Amino acid sequence: MKVLIPGGSGLVGRALSQELLSNGHSVLILSRRRGAIPGLPAGAQVTAWNGTSVEDLRPLLEGIDAVVNLAGESIGAGRWTAARKRAILESRTETSRAVADALLGAGNRNAVLVQASAVGIYGPREDEEVSEDGSAGDDFLAKVCREWEAASESVEAAGLRRVVVRTGVVLSTDGGALPKMLLPFRLFAGGPLGNGRQFVPWIHIADEAAAIRFLLEDQQARGPFNLVAPGTVTNRQLGQAIGKILGRPSMLPTPALALRATLGEMSTLLLGGQRVIPKRLLEAGYKFKFPELRPALRDLLASS
């Protein structure tokens, strides 16, 4: 397949591009950045796109079999001011609408759209097990995910195949949350966040990329899929696993009050958990490379 990836220069996009190229597909990455982008795999083509222009995007869809829309402002890059929250939402919804409009205007009825989303759509759920059938939450992240997914619903309504990937915390040493998690442990100050009982829906970067490729290639795959590992863990268990592998203590807690004071509303990223399961992905036949946390961390931290 010829695969177009808006937002493909990020952590997931780079891994996905390598996964696709290694399996015989071709990749065109769209980025708001101009000039050379470090870290992209050999063989991936890159072109600039502003994320909103349907007219500029439509000619880029010529000959394209699939679009994987990963574009969106990072949710963890700074405190959630009103301006940041607006940027987080609009960077997702505006690009998704533009991708949908361009796809519908291109006239390729066999193209497939993989639309990024997140498990944040379910909102904080304590220890309730949540599959793709779970209801949406009502906090800020849930609202973002609802509108993010809705922005490309027109593709599905028109009869094109659309897959929505609701991703959890992607574990990688090349970026994302894991390097930030490791720092306090390396300083002998690691431990649970808050009470540590909140569940952390995680996935190894290799499974994130392979699962997206699997859903692209499976012609029967439609609708939402939770991209999380089946081996659910709490924040405390995650910290204990990191401490064990690094040979560091994991008992020093960070009080919830301190996190809320420091991060404000963004503290829900760390204190609000979901016990999400990949029900539909398993039913579709995907075989996880890293279904359990400790082998996943050992693979990622082998060089630490």
Side-chain angles (χ1 to χ4, degrees):
M1 289 186 289
K2 294 182 178 179
V3 185
L4 187 75
I5 311 179
S9 60
L11 175 67
V12 173
R14 295 195 304 270
L16 174 61
S17 296
Q18 184 62 68
E19 175 76 14
L20 292 170
L21 290 164
S22 298
N23 285 274
H25 304 297
S26 60
V27 171
L28 174 59
I29 291 171
L30 302 186
S31 175
R32 287 183 171 90
R33 297 169 59 182
R34 295 184 178 275
I37 300 175
L40 297 182
Q45 296 180 293
V46 186
T47 192
W49 180 52
N50 67 5
T52 58
S53 172
V54 175
E55 292 74 19
D56 291 344
L57 178 57
R58 193 170 290 133
L60 299 175
L61 291 171
E62 186 175 345
I64 292 295
D65 302 297
V67 178
V68 182
N69 180 22
L70 302 175
E73 190 85 12
S74 171
I75 62 172
R79 194 179 178 96
W80 288 351
T81 63
R84 280 282 303 152
K85 290 169 76 171
R86 185 167 57 253
I88 288 169
L89 176 61
E90 292 179 354
S91 65
R92 286 161 171 77
T93 56
E94 291 182 359
T95 297
S96 296
R97 273 192 291 269
V99 167
D101 290 347
L103 265 175
L104 294 177
N108 183 355
R109 313 313 295 175
N110 294 317
V112 56
L113 170 64
V114 174
Q115 171 64 57
S117 184
V119 296
I121 193 169
Y122 304 116
R125 302 298 277 258
E126 297 184 347
D127 61 351
E128 175 190 356
E129 195 172 80
V130 184
S131 71
E132 292 85 354
D133 297 328
S135 60
D138 57 9
D139 64 341
F140 169 66
L141 287 181
K143 175 189 175 184
V144 168
C145 292
R146 289 199 310 270
E147 296 193 26
W148 193 6
E149 294 184 12
S152 64
E153 281 181 347
S154 57
V155 167
E156 198 169 322
L160 276 70
R161 185 164 74 91
R162 185 181 75 132
V163 175
V164 177
V165 289
R166 296 172 176 169
T167 296
V169 178
V170 178
L171 298 183
S172 169
T173 52
D174 293 329
L178 185 59
K180 298 173 185 176
M181 294 180 194
L182 297 177
L183 182 58
F185 288 90
R186 290 189 165 129
L187 298 175
F188 293 86
L193 302 177
N195 61 30
R197 293 194 296 269
Q198 67 274 32
F199 278 84
V200 181
W202 65 276
I203 186 169
H204 190 294
I205 184 64
D207 276 314
E208 175 77 6
I212 294 175
R213 178 175 67 84
F214 174 86
L215 294 169
L216 271 175
E217 294 174 346
D218 181 358
Q219 296 299 313
Q220 304 306 311
R222 292 175 179 266
F225 289 83
N226 291 334
L227 265 57
V228 295
T232 60
V233 296
T234 64
N235 178 269
R236 183 178 298 276
Q237 290 168 332
L238 173 60
Q240 290 170 343
I242 292 174
K244 180 74 172 178
I245 292 168
L246 293 183
R248 298 289 194 273
S250 59
M251 299 300 293
L252 189 63
T254 302
L257 188 63
L259 288 170
R260 292 190 183 101
T262 304
L263 301 176
E265 189 179 0
M266 196 173 76
S267 64
T268 59
L269 288 174
L270 305 175
L271 299 174
Q274 303 103 353
R275 190 176 187 176
V276 181
I277 59 171
K279 180 182 176 184
R280 296 196 68 222
L281 191 57
L282 292 172
E283 290 175 346
Y286 179 75
K287 305 296 184 185
F288 277 84
K289 300 176 181 181
F290 298 97
E292 301 296 331
L293 178 66
R294 293 205 177 195
L297 287 174
R298 281 195 292 267
D299 175 75
L300 291 166
L301 302 179
S303 61
S304 298

